[in-house]
Amino acid sequence: MANFFKDIVTLFLFNEKTQEFDSFVLEKVYFRFSESTRMTENGLIRTSQGNIIIPNKYAKINGIKAIDKYDKDNVLSSVLEGMLKRKKWNLKDKSFVVEGNVNDIEYTELLKNFRVFRITSVADNRKGGLQHLKLGVEE
């Protein structure tokens, strides 16, 4: 099963204290998205949405289990302390994700060079056989 979780994503989580984005590189996750087009008043537009599965057993941040650094009591609230040792991560509506390992980049450069996905939902599925967090994303 570990071979199934081979994707890498970078979460950019808005920190209300610093008014900047903290980044977290998550390894050993599953990221899939689909593209479609739809007709609107303004013509055809391209849409893209997907899911990121963050398994408790496999996902890592800097070699440490990602779930051990997750602040379950503050889901969808601000980043508490950033990504350094003993610090936690969580999600907020201003958060977004890109595929791959992305570090030290300005927001405008990120938008120019990467597909940026907005986090639209979070599901805490840490019961049952495959315990995981599931992020819904859209471009």
Side-chain angles (χ1 to χ4, degrees), residues 60-81:
K60 306 257 187 220
I61 297 174
N62 295 332
I64 299 170
K65 276 187 167 182
I67 204 67
D68 291 345
K69 289 180 161 266
Y70 181 67
D71 185 356
K72 67 182 177 185
D73 297 325
N74 288 297
V75 174
L76 299 177
S77 69
S78 66
V79 174
L80 294 179
E81 300 179 73

PDB file of all heavy atoms in Angstrom, residues 60-81:
ATOM      1  N   LYS A  60       4.531  12.235   5.373  1.00  0.00           N
ATOM      2  CA  LYS A  60       5.624  12.813   6.163  1.00  0.00           C
ATOM      3  C   LYS A  60       5.815  14.290   5.843  1.00  0.00           C
ATOM      4  O   LYS A  60       5.592  14.734   4.724  1.00  0.00           O
ATOM      5  CB  LYS A  60       6.938  12.104   5.847  1.00  0.00           C
ATOM      6  CG  LYS A  60       6.915  10.598   5.996  1.00  0.00           C
ATOM      7  CD  LYS A  60       7.588  10.182   7.237  1.00  0.00           C
ATOM      8  CE  LYS A  60       7.696   8.665   7.268  1.00  0.00           C
ATOM      9  NZ  LYS A  60       7.459   8.127   8.541  1.00  0.00           N
ATOM     10  N   ILE A  61       6.264  15.043   6.860  1.00  0.00           N
ATOM     11  CA  ILE A  61       6.757  16.406   6.711  1.00  0.00           C
ATOM     12  C   ILE A  61       8.147  16.414   7.324  1.00  0.00           C
ATOM     13  O   ILE A  61       8.304  16.123   8.504  1.00  0.00           O
ATOM     14  CB  ILE A  61       5.877  17.436   7.455  1.00  0.00           C
ATOM     15  CG1 ILE A  61       4.467  17.478   6.883  1.00  0.00           C
ATOM     16  CG2 ILE A  61       6.521  18.811   7.415  1.00  0.00           C
ATOM     17  CD1 ILE A  61       3.521  18.373   7.666  1.00  0.00           C
ATOM     18  N   ASN A  62       9.162  16.698   6.523  1.00  0.00           N
ATOM     19  CA  ASN A  62      10.546  16.700   7.012  1.00  0.00           C
ATOM     20  C   ASN A  62      10.901  15.406   7.737  1.00  0.00           C
ATOM     21  O   ASN A  62      11.542  15.422   8.784  1.00  0.00           O
ATOM     22  CB  ASN A  62      10.812  17.888   7.932  1.00  0.00           C
ATOM     23  CG  ASN A  62      10.717  19.206   7.207  1.00  0.00           C
ATOM     24  OD1 ASN A  62      10.961  19.274   6.011  1.00  0.00           O
ATOM     25  ND2 ASN A  62      10.353  20.244   7.925  1.00  0.00           N
ATOM     26  N   GLY A  63      10.450  14.274   7.219  1.00  0.00           N
ATOM     27  CA  GLY A  63      10.779  12.985   7.802  1.00  0.00           C
ATOM     28  C   GLY A  63       9.974  12.607   9.031  1.00  0.00           C
ATOM     29  O   GLY A  63      10.166  11.538   9.595  1.00  0.00           O
ATOM     30  N   ILE A  64       9.076  13.467   9.459  1.00  0.00           N
ATOM     31  CA  ILE A  64       8.233  13.191  10.631  1.00  0.00           C
ATOM     32  C   ILE A  64       6.815  12.945  10.147  1.00  0.00           C
ATOM     33  O   ILE A  64       6.346  13.614   9.229  1.00  0.00           O
ATOM     34  CB  ILE A  64       8.262  14.382  11.615  1.00  0.00           C
ATOM     35  CG1 ILE A  64       9.692  14.597  12.109  1.00  0.00           C
ATOM     36  CG2 ILE A  64       7.310  14.156  12.786  1.00  0.00           C
ATOM     37  CD1 ILE A  64       9.877  15.874  12.889  1.00  0.00           C
ATOM     38  N   LYS A  65       6.124  12.005  10.770  1.00  0.00           N
ATOM     39  CA  LYS A  65       4.750  11.735  10.371  1.00  0.00           C
ATOM     40  C   LYS A  65       3.931  13.024  10.365  1.00  0.00           C
ATOM     41  O   LYS A  65       3.869  13.740  11.360  1.00  0.00           O
ATOM     42  CB  LYS A  65       4.089  10.742  11.316  1.00  0.00           C
ATOM     43  CG  LYS A  65       4.361   9.316  11.017  1.00  0.00           C
ATOM     44  CD  LYS A  65       3.513   8.450  11.918  1.00  0.00           C
ATOM     45  CE  LYS A  65       3.520   7.026  11.454  1.00  0.00           C
ATOM     46  NZ  LYS A  65       2.657   6.217  12.302  1.00  0.00           N
ATOM     47  N   ALA A  66       3.304  13.318   9.240  1.00  0.00           N
ATOM     48  CA  ALA A  66       2.520  14.548   9.089  1.00  0.00           C
ATOM     49  C   ALA A  66       1.394  14.616  10.113  1.00  0.00           C
ATOM     50  O   ALA A  66       1.107  15.679  10.661  1.00  0.00           O
ATOM     51  CB  ALA A  66       1.956  14.641   7.678  1.00  0.00           C
ATOM     52  N   ILE A  67       0.784  13.502  10.394  1.00  0.00           N
ATOM     53  CA  ILE A  67      -0.358  13.494  11.312  1.00  0.00           C
ATOM     54  C   ILE A  67       0.072  13.847  12.729  1.00  0.00           C
ATOM     55  O   ILE A  67      -0.701  14.399  13.507  1.00  0.00           O
ATOM     56  CB  ILE A  67      -1.108  12.147  11.251  1.00  0.00           C
ATOM     57  CG1 ILE A  67      -2.553  12.306  11.695  1.00  0.00           C
ATOM     58  CG2 ILE A  67      -0.394  11.077  12.016  1.00  0.00           C
ATOM     59  CD1 ILE A  67      -3.395  13.132  10.760  1.00  0.00           C
ATOM     60  N   ASP A  68       1.333  13.570  13.076  1.00  0.00           N
ATOM     61  CA  ASP A  68       1.837  13.920  14.406  1.00  0.00           C
ATOM     62  C   ASP A  68       1.984  15.425  14.567  1.00  0.00           C
ATOM     63  O   ASP A  68       2.048  15.927  15.684  1.00  0.00           O
ATOM     64  CB  ASP A  68       3.183  13.243  14.676  1.00  0.00           C
ATOM     65  CG  ASP A  68       3.051  11.739  14.835  1.00  0.00           C
ATOM     66  OD1 ASP A  68       1.912  11.252  15.029  1.00  0.00           O
ATOM     67  OD2 ASP A  68       4.077  11.054  14.748  1.00  0.00           O
ATOM     68  N   LYS A  69       2.089  16.144  13.445  1.00  0.00           N
ATOM     69  CA  LYS A  69       2.227  17.596  13.493  1.00  0.00           C
ATOM     70  C   LYS A  69       0.900  18.313  13.225  1.00  0.00           C
ATOM     71  O   LYS A  69       0.840  19.521  13.223  1.00  0.00           O
ATOM     72  CB  LYS A  69       3.255  18.066  12.474  1.00  0.00           C
ATOM     73  CG  LYS A  69       4.668  17.694  12.844  1.00  0.00           C
ATOM     74  CD  LYS A  69       5.615  18.208  11.782  1.00  0.00           C
ATOM     75  CE  LYS A  69       7.020  18.262  12.315  1.00  0.00           C
ATOM     76  NZ  LYS A  69       7.367  19.555  12.857  1.00  0.00           N
ATOM     77  N   TYR A  70      -0.166  17.543  12.977  1.00  0.00           N
ATOM     78  CA  TYR A  70      -1.455  18.134  12.632  1.00  0.00           C
ATOM     79  C   TYR A  70      -2.199  18.564  13.890  1.00  0.00           C
ATOM     80  O   TYR A  70      -2.292  17.816  14.849  1.00  0.00           O
ATOM     81  CB  TYR A  70      -2.289  17.112  11.858  1.00  0.00           C
ATOM     82  CG  TYR A  70      -3.634  17.608  11.431  1.00  0.00           C
ATOM     83  CD1 TYR A  70      -3.753  18.607  10.488  1.00  0.00           C
ATOM     84  CD2 TYR A  70      -4.787  17.070  11.963  1.00  0.00           C
ATOM     85  CE1 TYR A  70      -4.986  19.060  10.088  1.00  0.00           C
ATOM     86  CE2 TYR A  70      -6.031  17.519  11.571  1.00  0.00           C
ATOM     87  CZ  TYR A  70      -6.118  18.510  10.626  1.00  0.00           C
ATOM     88  OH  TYR A  70      -7.342  18.955  10.230  1.00  0.00           O
ATOM     89  N   ASP A  71      -2.720  19.772  13.886  1.00  0.00           N
ATOM     90  CA  ASP A  71      -3.454  20.303  15.033  1.00  0.00           C
ATOM     91  C   ASP A  71      -4.946  20.036  14.825  1.00  0.00           C
ATOM     92  O   ASP A  71      -5.656  20.824  14.225  1.00  0.00           O
ATOM     93  CB  ASP A  71      -3.185  21.803  15.169  1.00  0.00           C
ATOM     94  CG  ASP A  71      -3.827  22.388  16.406  1.00  0.00           C
ATOM     95  OD1 ASP A  71      -4.534  21.652  17.124  1.00  0.00           O
ATOM     96  OD2 ASP A  71      -3.625  23.582  16.649  1.00  0.00           O
ATOM     97  N   LYS A  72      -5.405  18.901  15.308  1.00  0.00           N
ATOM     98  CA  LYS A  72      -6.787  18.478  15.044  1.00  0.00           C
ATOM     99  C   LYS A  72      -7.822  19.378  15.697  1.00  0.00           C
ATOM    100  O   LYS A  72      -8.964  19.421  15.258  1.00  0.00           O
ATOM    101  CB  LYS A  72      -6.985  17.042  15.517  1.00  0.00           C
ATOM    102  CG  LYS A  72      -6.888  16.876  17.025  1.00  0.00           C
ATOM    103  CD  LYS A  72      -7.050  15.440  17.435  1.00  0.00           C
ATOM    104  CE  LYS A  72      -6.867  15.339  18.944  1.00  0.00           C
ATOM    105  NZ  LYS A  72      -6.889  13.984  19.394  1.00  0.00           N
ATOM    106  N   ASP A  73      -7.472  20.098  16.732  1.00  0.00           N
ATOM    107  CA  ASP A  73      -8.440  20.960  17.405  1.00  0.00           C
ATOM    108  C   ASP A  73      -8.649  22.283  16.695  1.00  0.00           C
ATOM    109  O   ASP A  73      -9.552  23.028  17.036  1.00  0.00           O
ATOM    110  CB  ASP A  73      -8.013  21.217  18.853  1.00  0.00           C
ATOM    111  CG  ASP A  73      -7.994  19.924  19.657  1.00  0.00           C
ATOM    112  OD1 ASP A  73      -8.850  19.066  19.406  1.00  0.00           O
ATOM    113  OD2 ASP A  73      -7.103  19.787  20.499  1.00  0.00           O
ATOM    114  N   ASN A  74      -7.824  22.589  15.713  1.00  0.00           N
ATOM    115  CA  ASN A  74      -7.943  23.865  15.017  1.00  0.00           C
ATOM    116  C   ASN A  74      -8.061  23.692  13.512  1.00  0.00           C
ATOM    117  O   ASN A  74      -7.549  24.486  12.749  1.00  0.00           O
ATOM    118  CB  ASN A  74      -6.740  24.753  15.341  1.00  0.00           C
ATOM    119  CG  ASN A  74      -6.815  25.270  16.749  1.00  0.00           C
ATOM    120  OD1 ASN A  74      -7.727  25.992  17.101  1.00  0.00           O
ATOM    121  ND2 ASN A  74      -5.870  24.859  17.570  1.00  0.00           N
ATOM    122  N   VAL A  75      -8.751  22.642  13.073  1.00  0.00           N
ATOM    123  CA  VAL A  75      -8.998  22.466  11.654  1.00  0.00           C
ATOM    124  C   VAL A  75      -9.737  23.700  11.147  1.00  0.00           C
ATOM    125  O   VAL A  75     -10.637  24.210  11.795  1.00  0.00           O
ATOM    126  CB  VAL A  75      -9.823  21.191  11.401  1.00  0.00           C
ATOM    127  CG1 VAL A  75     -10.210  21.079   9.946  1.00  0.00           C
ATOM    128  CG2 VAL A  75      -9.050  19.973  11.838  1.00  0.00           C
ATOM    129  N   LEU A  76      -9.318  24.211  10.009  1.00  0.00           N
ATOM    130  CA  LEU A  76      -9.899  25.401   9.395  1.00  0.00           C
ATOM    131  C   LEU A  76      -9.714  26.657  10.232  1.00  0.00           C
ATOM    132  O   LEU A  76     -10.493  27.584  10.165  1.00  0.00           O
ATOM    133  CB  LEU A  76     -11.383  25.197   9.068  1.00  0.00           C
ATOM    134  CG  LEU A  76     -11.669  24.069   8.085  1.00  0.00           C
ATOM    135  CD1 LEU A  76     -13.161  23.903   7.890  1.00  0.00           C
ATOM    136  CD2 LEU A  76     -10.993  24.326   6.761  1.00  0.00           C
ATOM    137  N   SER A  77      -8.669  26.698  11.032  1.00  0.00           N
ATOM    138  CA  SER A  77      -8.319  27.936  11.727  1.00  0.00           C
ATOM    139  C   SER A  77      -6.887  28.295  11.344  1.00  0.00           C
ATOM    140  O   SER A  77      -6.278  27.645  10.518  1.00  0.00           O
ATOM    141  CB  SER A  77      -8.459  27.777  13.232  1.00  0.00           C
ATOM    142  OG  SER A  77      -7.478  26.907  13.726  1.00  0.00           O
ATOM    143  N   SER A  78      -6.332  29.321  11.942  1.00  0.00           N
ATOM    144  CA  SER A  78      -5.018  29.805  11.504  1.00  0.00           C
ATOM    145  C   SER A  78      -3.894  28.847  11.855  1.00  0.00           C
ATOM    146  O   SER A  78      -4.008  28.011  12.734  1.00  0.00           O
ATOM    147  CB  SER A  78      -4.732  31.163  12.143  1.00  0.00           C
ATOM    148  OG  SER A  78      -4.603  31.015  13.536  1.00  0.00           O
ATOM    149  N   VAL A  79      -2.770  28.990  11.167  1.00  0.00           N
ATOM    150  CA  VAL A  79      -1.574  28.216  11.488  1.00  0.00           C
ATOM    151  C   VAL A  79      -1.060  28.727  12.820  1.00  0.00           C
ATOM    152  O   VAL A  79      -0.864  29.912  12.996  1.00  0.00           O
ATOM    153  CB  VAL A  79      -0.501  28.396  10.395  1.00  0.00           C
ATOM    154  CG1 VAL A  79       0.793  27.722  10.797  1.00  0.00           C
ATOM    155  CG2 VAL A  79      -1.007  27.859   9.085  1.00  0.00           C
ATOM    156  N   LEU A  80      -0.861  27.813  13.757  1.00  0.00           N
ATOM    157  CA  LEU A  80      -0.493  28.242  15.104  1.00  0.00           C
ATOM    158  C   LEU A  80       0.945  28.688  15.213  1.00  0.00           C
ATOM    159  O   LEU A  80       1.246  29.746  15.714  1.00  0.00           O
ATOM    160  CB  LEU A  80      -0.765  27.126  16.110  1.00  0.00           C
ATOM    161  CG  LEU A  80      -2.222  26.761  16.295  1.00  0.00           C
ATOM    162  CD1 LEU A  80      -2.333  25.627  17.290  1.00  0.00           C
ATOM    163  CD2 LEU A  80      -3.020  27.961  16.749  1.00  0.00           C
ATOM    164  N   GLU A  81       1.857  27.856  14.766  1.00  0.00           N
ATOM    165  CA  GLU A  81       3.252  28.171  15.036  1.00  0.00           C
ATOM    166  C   GLU A  81       4.197  27.989  13.864  1.00  0.00           C
ATOM    167  O   GLU A  81       5.385  28.166  14.018  1.00  0.00           O
ATOM    168  CB  GLU A  81       3.752  27.292  16.187  1.00  0.00           C
ATOM    169  CG  GLU A  81       2.988  27.471  17.466  1.00  0.00           C
ATOM    170  CD  GLU A  81       3.521  26.564  18.542  1.00  0.00           C
ATOM    171  OE1 GLU A  81       4.612  26.843  19.046  1.00  0.00           O
ATOM    172  OE2 GLU A  81       2.856  25.572  18.855  1.00  0.00           O
TER     173      GLU A  81
END
